[in-house]
Amino acid sequence: RMPASIPEADRRHRASAAFSLSFLSLVFSITAFTSSHWCEGTRKVAKPFCKGDSKGDLCIRFNSPDGNNSQAVQYIWETGDDKFVERNFHAGIWYSCEEMINEEGEKCRSFISLTPASDRGVLWLSIVAELLYIVLLLIGNILMSVEIFYYSSVIDGLKINAFSAVVTVLAGLLGMVAHMMYTTVFQMTVNLGPEDWRPHTWDYGWSYGLAWTSFACCMAAAVTTINKYTKTILEFKHKRKKLERSFRIQYNFPDH
């Protein structure tokens, strides 16, 4: 059995740092994947006619009894922004929600159904890549926890360390591709999606930032794991050279 060349405290410190980063990446990715705030913005919608005795700034009332005729409708679309209301919306991988007019709450619908048919395949690839990203992060977390809490030798730890590094790097690459594909699909949906959904203004939301933060933590965990593996190998090589030098000295100058 080869003796441990890396101090125990340093080994555990690096392994714990890699596990913490990988665990944060997993939590952030699951939170972002299940949320609907990847993109947020507003939609400009024509105010509806007031019904009954309803009043307020979110509907239009005409004093004339024929207020709902065609001229009145034409008047609504030709007068300026005061005849429109902006509704906030937010969209994620699975669904898109927007505020209701004159009602509390939100109306949600599947984002997949809003995506143009030509881009729906790319969206499904993005979803599959996100799921694989989460699965690989979970596997990496399990391997790192095994390395921290259960190991029989430094060699066994090195094997686990190498495998977890490969899994984590592969997870990071999948996450990056998934995030970029979703960004492309959303921008295409903004330009080619249904008229009753297209936003007036939009920007990326907190879930989008959380997804990329997860990617950054994943790559940081991978770098930490690879660094630990490389340092261990270099320590082993240095130890072997010292042993070879010691044997050579003993062979050339035997102890009388």
Side-chain angles (χ1 to χ4, degrees), residues 48-55 59-63:
F49 292 111
C50 295
K51 297 180 179 180
D53 296 331
S54 60
K55 298 180 181 179
C59 64
I60 302 173
R61 172 170 291 280
F62 290 93
N63 294 326

Side-chain angles (χ1 to χ4, degrees), residues 15 20 40 59 68 78 89-90 100 123 145 150 167 172 196 200 208 234 236:
S20 299
E40 301 173 342
C59 64
N68 289 336
E78 289 180 354
F89 85 97
H90 53 90
M100 302 281 288
L123 179 60
S145 62
Y150 177 80
V167 169
D196 64 342
H200 178 63
Y208 188 80
L234 292 176
F236 279 161

